[in-house]
Structure formats: C-alpha cells, structure tokens
Amino acid sequence: MGTRAGGRRTGPKCIAIVGPFASGKTTLLEAILARTGAIPRQNPVSSGNTVSDHSPEARAHAMSVEATFATTEFMGEQFTFVDCPGSIEFAFEAEPVLAACDVAVVVAEADEKKIPALQLIIRKLDDLGVPRILFLNKVDKAIAGVRETLKMLQPASSAPLLLRQIPLRKDGVVIGSIDLALERAYVYREYAESQVAEIPDDDKARELEARFSMLETLADHDDQLMEQLLEEIEPPKDAIFDDLAADLRAGTVTPVLIGTAEKGNGVLRLLKTIRHDAPNVEATRKRLGAPDGTQTVVQVMKTIHTPHGGKLSVSRVLSGQLADAAELFLSNGDTTKVSGIYKMLGKDQLKQSSAMAGDTVALGKIDNVRTGQTLSSAKGGIKPLFTLEPPQPVFAFALRPKERKDEVKMSAAIQRLAEEDPSLNLHHNQDSAETVLSGHGEMHLRVVRERLEGKNQIPIEGHSPAVPYRETIRKSAQQRGRHKKQSGGHGQFGDVVIEIKPLPRGSGFQFTDTITGGVVPKTYIQSVETGIRDYLKTGPLGFPVVDVAVNLSDGSYHAVDSSDMAFQMAAKLAMKEGMAACSPVLLEPIMKVEIVTPSDATSKIIALIPQRRGQILGYDARPDWPGWDVVEATMPQAEIGDLIIELRSATAGVASYKAGFDHMAELTGRLADEAMNANGKAA
C-alpha cells in the first residue's frame, strides 16, 4: 500500500464547479444533487427549474449569473458544491469561492473554441493553488476520441491531464466507461447508477495502453512505481490509488473523468473520486495560511440579500466550532454577532444550531461583514487570509431613476447589489453630474439593471457615460474686461486687462500678474484669478478649459465702488470676450489600451482598432500564456465605451482589456460638432 497520500481525507468538503459558459456545470450539479438524494429528480436546464436557476435573471438569460451553493451528503460525508458562472463577465463571482474551497471540478467538453475560456479558468486555479479534477462532459456527443480531446485541451492546463477513464463503446455509441485504476467497466444507465461489467475482450488492449500511460504519468512523482514499470512488475492497486490521491492534492496532475451530466452518467465515479482523493479543509487552511490552533476562523465567500431573511454571508468554517449568536472579530478589530446559521440548497436555507470545521454555511445578519473578509474568535481578529481585487471594469453606463422620488431607494439598492457583487463599481462624475455604474461587460450590467427594475421595483433610465472632453486655445489674445454698475448707493466697479496664451498639452492652468503701480490692488488680484478659474469651468465650446496661461497686466479700480465680486465679474467678461479670439478647439481624451486576446483572433483585433480611430503600438506574445497575445494601442475614450462587446464577439467571449489615460488630442470636424451638440442637449 502506498503512503504518499496518507489516507482518505474525511470531514465536510467544499467543491467548486467551474468551466466555460454552456459546458454543463449547472446540469452536473443537478445530477449530483439527484444522485445524492438532495433533490427528488434531476431537472434539465431548459426547464428553468434547477437549483442554480433560482433568480429570474438566470432563467431569462439561460445562464448562471451568480455562485449557487448546495450542500448534500454522500456515503455519510457532507459535500457543499458551488456552481460558479461560466461567462467571463461573471467570473469574479468564483474568486472568493475558489479561495476557500478544497477542490474544483472543471467541466469541459470537446470544443476547441472553448479552450481559451478553459485556460482562463485553470490559470485562476493555478494562481490560487486550488487542486482540480477535470470532468469531460457530453462524451456521448463527442466526435473525436477522448485521448485526442485531451491533446487538444492540454495546452489549457499547466498540469498534465491524467486520463482515469476511457469510453466504453458499442456500435460506435458510448455506452459506459472503463476505469483505468480499477480495471473495471461500467455500463451507463440513464439517471441511475452504472452497472459493473467485465471489460470486453475487444477493449482490453486499448485499456492496457491507456492504463500504462496513466501509470507513466504517476511514476513521474513516485520512484518506486517507476522501478516497477521498468521491471514490468504490476503495481498494487492500493499504491496506484494512493498516487492518484497524492498527485491530485499536490496539484501535480489533473485527473480526467468522463461522462454525460445531462443523463447522470459518470456522476457516481466523480463523487467517489472526490470522497477518496480530494483534500479537505485542513489543506485549504494551510494553503490560505490560517493560524493553527482551536480558535474559530471563518472565510466569507459570498453575500446574499434575501427578500425576507435579510443579509446572509455564505462562509467556510476553516477551523474551530461556530455556534449561533457567537461573537466574531474582523481583521480590523471590529466585532460582529452571528444571527442564524443555515445550510444552503440554492435559494432554500435550513437552520442549524452550529457549524464545525469544513462546513460551508450561511451566517445571518452580520451586517458589517463583506465578501472576502476573514472572521475569527481571536480577540482583535487575525490578518486577512485572502485579498479580493476586482479587475478593471470594461463597460459602464450612467443611470438614474425615472422618478426622482426613487433616488434614495436606488442608491440603497445599488449598495446591496455591490455587496453581493464586489466587482461592481459606482461613482459620481462631478463634471457631468452623472452616476456611473461600471462592470465587466454588457450582460453583467444588464443583469444589474434587471435586478434594480425587477427585484427592487425601481424603473431606471440609462445611457453611455459622458466623455470628459476639454477645450483649449491655439492663439494668444489681450482683452480688457470692465464691470461697472450704478444703482444708488455704492456701485460696482472692476477693470482688468488680461493676456491669454496657450500652453503645452498637459500643463493645466497658470495665472500670473505683472501689475505695477497698484492699478489693481493686491487684495483684488486673487479675485481676478477666482473669476478666471470660474469661467474656465465652461469655455466657449461648452467644456472645461485646459492648457491656458492668463496674465493680469493692467486695470483700474474705484476707491468706493470696487469689490471682490466686481473684479471677479470683470475677469469673467474679459475671458468671455478674449477666448473667442484665441481660436478655441475641442480636446478629447486618448487612452492607452492593452488588449489580451487568443492568438488566433489577434488579426481580427488589429483590424478593428483603426475602425475605432485607434493607433496600433504593437503586439507580442502574452508572457507565460501559451496561445495568447497582448495588443497595445491608443484609442479615443469616445470609442472605448462598447469596445468590449466587439472584442468578446471576435474571441468567443474571452478577450479583455485595460485602459488608462494617455493624453489629450484635438478633435475637429463632424465628430467635434456632434460632441458639442450632445453637450448642449445634455446641459
């Protein structure tokens, strides 16, 4: 018997189900829950009645839009499965889940177009150090052989894909599988446990070849097994299972199981592999660097606001015991009190009195706690075990309620949604007076809007955010501005002469004075600058003015009628008249854009950049990402608003980008006229 794995890891486990969009993750979860008796029968995804389809948005778009938790029991042990969304737009949901889970089941299929999406998922597992099992789904519909499929999928995986099963075929149709470790055949039965059978004579040679390949891979990490293979000694089955478990837990291989989730085929072997080979919370605790000891440590994986039960924080108990009404400390020393402990099955919760290490439970009404935070019973808290860092948003819209009375209600609703989805970004643009919501794609923000209008009953108006245009000048001018008003009593008098000059791009605004002889008293020079700065907020073209120098060179005052306000007004008059003579021109922000794309779509990306008035700076292979490129370009911000839609369309939904301000550039002609007209309508 082998000793590398150290035996089976018992206790509650948490398993993330991940994979590209439409690979069959939700179907697999349904099959697992039906097989373990958590639900009476397996519901097809098309019915809109699966455990993961409990939100109207998921049903409407036929896709998972948030992580769904379901706890069940198998052979006396408790498993919590988490169905994570497959679309890149909702991928951030998985990060706090993956950090605290023990193992991931990666659902894949023989579809070459989905390899880049698979690569994104596996790279995230690598970054977080999460071991994984690959479940090759829809094996009954695959045209290519399983080993050919693995050759196609291998570039997406940093660890070797280790085939543990091969299909059992009859007349070209997959009717079951052959387990290479057990050397046993299983004949599929729809929605039922497979029937054990002998390996057919015609398949024995194929099985021996595939089994030897599996053993060769295992021997890379087991010298004794390597010696046995070289000496043609049949290794003991116990030693093989020990190697399989040890290598899975270490992440040195990715075991591959096959099946068809839609028919419940291959599910039992997957469950047994998880039970026997997967690590438990002890390994997860070590991976996260949680402290040893008897103290209670809890990692928050997801925040949910329920219609009637209030806020729930779905959490993994990493160590210790957790009782209802227990007091826990956040990492900053703040305290919170648990008000209810619940086992999750989709939208349903079952209350329980306590939770133990390994359990995944929902904690009620810990209002000051956010997704990704670490709680503990240690006084003052412990340092965070995981840092949640949302990627840069790639899509945005400005929104407001159709009725002003809903403004406060909308703000509170968005706050709740941002708690549930920390990748949402909300900010108020002072220049445009817009409330701008940013996220990770058009569908991402569409779902947010649907939740505001459906779940929260707040009708919303939305549009593309305003582009922060600026204006500057091309010429210099000198202008006098005089403000004089007499209406009984003290009048108003201010008189200034200013020189207006353009500055190099990016210089901002400079104010100087060359007043001599006190023609404008020092007490009013500051007033002149204040008036000029106030004017620059909206220039002759309707936008803030930049890269301008103004010098106060002359003027006059009245001992009685001059005042701070009079000189401000005089300065504004001088600017208004003088700017018109300085050839004002519109400026638009130009962004530096870095696009990551699968290499086979690079030519498409390069072709679309000039169509958006962009300039290609270059492209190169993405470091440590086989089959990916990075394209660098500059592009007007006005062209970036819906860029992600076109990028995703050209790359089967996986491309993304980062953008940062680079410089301002002149904008003339039709586009400048359109920008000014739109600004006039907005004002």
Side-chain angles (χ1 to χ4, degrees):
M1 177 180 286
T3 58
R4 292 179 59 221
R8 184 167 65 85
R9 300 293 186 256
T10 59
K13 290 186 173 76
C14 182
I15 306 101
I17 302 177
V18 297
F21 171 67
S23 57
K25 299 177 299 298
T26 299
T27 303
L28 179 61
L29 177 60
E30 283 288 303
I32 288 169
L33 296 177
R35 184 59 52 86
T36 58
I39 58 176
R41 65 181 180 279
Q42 180 178 340
N43 293 302
V45 171
S46 58
S47 71
N49 194 35
T50 64
V51 169
S52 294
D53 287 338
H54 56 81
S55 75
E57 298 80 28
R59 291 193 295 270
H61 301 294
M63 64 187 297
S64 297
V65 297
E66 60 185 330
T68 303
F69 296 76
T71 299
T72 186
E73 287 192 4
F74 177 69
M75 297 181 70
E77 294 188 18
Q78 181 175 285
F79 293 167
T80 297
F81 290 91
V82 192
D83 180 11
C84 299
S87 167
I88 191 175
E89 300 195 17
F90 302 96
F92 187 71
E93 279 274 321
E95 292 208 19
V97 171
L98 292 170
C101 73
D102 301 320
V103 67
V105 174
V106 182
V107 184
E109 57 184 305
D111 186 346
E112 193 171 10
K113 294 179 182 177
K114 292 184 178 181
I115 291 177
L118 189 64
Q119 196 170 7
L120 289 174
I121 292 161
I122 292 178
R123 176 56 67 103
K124 180 56 65 178
L125 296 174
D126 284 342
D127 291 344
L128 296 171
V130 180
R132 79 294 313 243
I133 299 164
L134 191 140
F135 183 77
L136 188 56
N137 194 23
K138 308 177 187 178
V139 70
D140 59 330
K141 298 177 182 176
I143 297 173
V146 170
R147 281 183 283 182
E148 288 74 17
T149 299
L150 258 59
K151 287 179 183 177
M152 179 179 69
L153 298 180
Q154 183 61 66
S157 176
S158 57
L161 297 178
L162 181 73
L163 190 60
R164 280 198 57 171
Q165 299 170 314
I166 59 173
L168 181 65
R169 289 186 171 88
K170 184 177 181 180
D171 299 329
V173 177
V174 175
I175 62 165
S177 67
I178 299 173
D179 191 294
L180 300 177
L182 286 169
E183 293 191 286
R184 190 179 297 165
Y186 293 88
V187 178
Y188 292 149
R189 295 190 296 174
E190 200 163 304
Y191 308 117
E193 186 175 338
S194 297
Q195 183 178 346
V196 180
E198 293 294 325
I199 300 174
D201 292 338
D202 292 345
D203 292 299
K204 284 183 178 178
R206 189 166 59 94
E207 183 270 337
L208 287 172
E209 181 187 351
R211 187 171 188 271
F212 186 78
S213 177
M214 177 188 76
L215 295 176
E216 276 189 315
T217 302
L218 292 175
D220 289 339
H221 307 283
D222 185 340
D223 292 340
Q224 185 177 359
L225 177 58
M226 178 65 77
E227 289 177 12
Q228 290 170 337
L229 294 181
L230 291 173
E231 296 174 10
E232 298 184 354
I233 298 172
E234 178 63 27
K237 281 190 170 61
D238 286 345
I240 294 172
F241 281 114
D242 180 76
D243 277 338
L244 287 167
D247 288 349
L248 166 61
R249 294 169 196 171
T252 52
V253 301
T254 298
V256 178
L257 303 177
I258 65 173
T260 299
E262 189 177 19
K263 298 176 182 177
N265 298 151
V267 171
L268 186 60
R269 301 313 310 164
L270 173 62
L271 286 167
K272 287 191 174 182
T273 300
I274 293 169
R275 183 175 185 268
H276 290 283
D277 298 352
N280 62 4
V281 71
E282 182 182 355
T284 302
R285 188 165 59 241
K286 289 179 180 177
R287 171 165 54 83
L288 290 172
D292 294 329
T294 57
Q295 65 187 21
T296 301
V297 177
V298 175
Q299 185 67 26
V300 182
M301 306 165 79
K302 170 74 176 169
T303 301
I304 302 170
H305 286 275
T306 63
H308 306 295
K311 179 180 172 180
L312 294 175
S313 299
V314 186
S315 307
R316 185 85 192 279
V317 182
L318 296 176
S319 64
Q321 301 283 327
L322 184 62
D324 197 359
E327 184 180 60
L328 296 173
F329 291 86
L330 282 74
S331 296
N332 62 4
D334 290 349
T335 61
T336 191
K337 191 173 183 179
V338 176
S339 181
I341 300 175
Y342 304 90
K343 185 165 72 172
M344 302 288 291
L345 184 62
K347 69 178 185 300
D348 299 322
Q349 302 104 38
L350 178 64
K351 191 165 186 178
Q352 39 191 70
S353 59
S354 63
M356 61 180 284
D359 283 344
T360 304
V361 291
L363 307 180
K365 299 179 181 177
I366 46 178
D367 293 331
N368 57 336
V369 173
R370 301 290 180 266
T371 299
Q373 289 185 324
T374 304
L375 314 176
S376 78
S377 59
K379 193 169 183 179
I382 63 172
K383 68 177 183 179
L385 300 178
F386 174 69
T387 302
L388 199 58
E389 297 181 355
Q392 186 185 74
V394 295
F395 192 77
F397 67 74
L399 75 167
R400 64 184 178 190
K402 288 184 178 179
E403 299 184 28
R404 290 196 59 138
K405 66 181 180 64
D406 286 333
E407 285 183 354
V408 174
K409 187 178 176 184
M410 183 188 80
S411 178
I414 291 176
Q415 270 192 324
R416 290 193 297 271
L417 289 173
E419 273 196 80
E420 293 182 329
D421 181 359
S423 67
L424 285 175
N425 182 283
L426 184 74
H427 74 277
H428 183 74
N429 187 323
Q430 292 186 340
D431 285 346
S432 62
E434 293 175 330
T435 298
V436 179
L437 188 67
S438 306
H440 302 295
E442 188 269 340
M443 179 60 74
H444 185 204
L445 294 192
R446 185 191 301 180
V447 167
V448 172
R449 181 169 179 172
E450 288 170 359
R451 285 177 173 168
L452 285 171
E453 296 187 324
K455 183 178 179 180
N456 297 281
Q457 299 294 303
I458 306 170
I460 297 294
E461 292 179 333
H463 59 272
S464 298
V467 176
Y469 292 106
R470 296 291 184 262
E471 58 180 275
T472 192
I473 56 174
R474 289 170 169 166
K475 297 180 180 177
S476 301
Q478 185 179 71
Q479 183 65 46
R480 176 180 292 275
R482 175 176 290 185
H483 177 68
K484 183 177 182 180
K485 192 173 183 181
Q486 193 72 42
S487 57
H490 287 308
Q492 298 179 34
F493 181 84
D495 177 35
V496 298
V497 177
I498 60 172
E499 299 163 343
I500 309 171
K501 297 180 180 179
L503 287 175
R505 199 75 69 237
S507 301
F509 168 65
Q510 295 177 8
F511 175 79
T512 56
D513 78 271
T514 52
I515 294 297
T516 58
V519 292
V520 176
K522 289 184 178 180
T523 54
Y524 295 135
I525 291 176
Q526 180 63 47
S527 304
V528 173
E529 181 179 356
T530 299
I532 292 170
R533 286 185 179 276
D534 193 44
Y535 171 82
L536 293 177
K537 292 177 182 177
T538 309
L541 304 182
F543 297 92
V545 181
V546 295
D547 303 337
V548 167
V550 180
N551 179 63
L552 173 62
S553 60
D554 201 358
S556 62
Y557 75 103
H558 189 279
V560 176
D561 291 345
S562 287
S563 65
D564 170 72
M565 186 55 67
F567 272 95
Q568 284 191 41
M569 293 300 296
K572 289 180 183 178
L573 285 170
M575 287 296 294
K576 183 177 181 180
E577 294 174 11
M579 283 288 290
C582 290
S583 296
V585 63
L586 198 64
L587 297 176
E588 68 171 343
I590 305 298
M591 312 297 281
K592 176 78 173 292
V593 183
E594 184 180 276
I595 301 169
V596 291
T597 173
S599 301
D600 59 7
T602 299
S603 59
K604 296 179 186 176
I605 303 304
I606 289 174
L608 71 84
I609 289 172
Q611 297 171 13
R612 290 177 173 265
R613 298 191 288 130
Q615 181 177 353
I616 298 166
L617 302 178
Y619 68 94
D620 205 346
R622 189 179 185 186
D624 299 322
W625 280 75
W628 285 72
D629 288 334
V630 179
V631 180
E632 293 185 345
T634 56
M635 188 178 294
Q637 186 174 337
E639 301 289 345
I640 288 179
D642 61 351
L643 172 65
I644 193 63
I645 297 176
E646 196 164 1
L647 291 179
R648 297 255 165 90
S649 175
T651 60
V654 295
S656 195
Y657 74 87
K658 293 180 181 178
F661 175 77
D662 193 71
H663 65 279
M664 301 294 287
E666 290 188 10
L667 181 66
T668 58
R670 176 182 59 83
L671 293 174
D673 293 340
E674 289 176 358
M676 288 184 285
N677 290 337
N679 187 57
K681 291 174 184 176

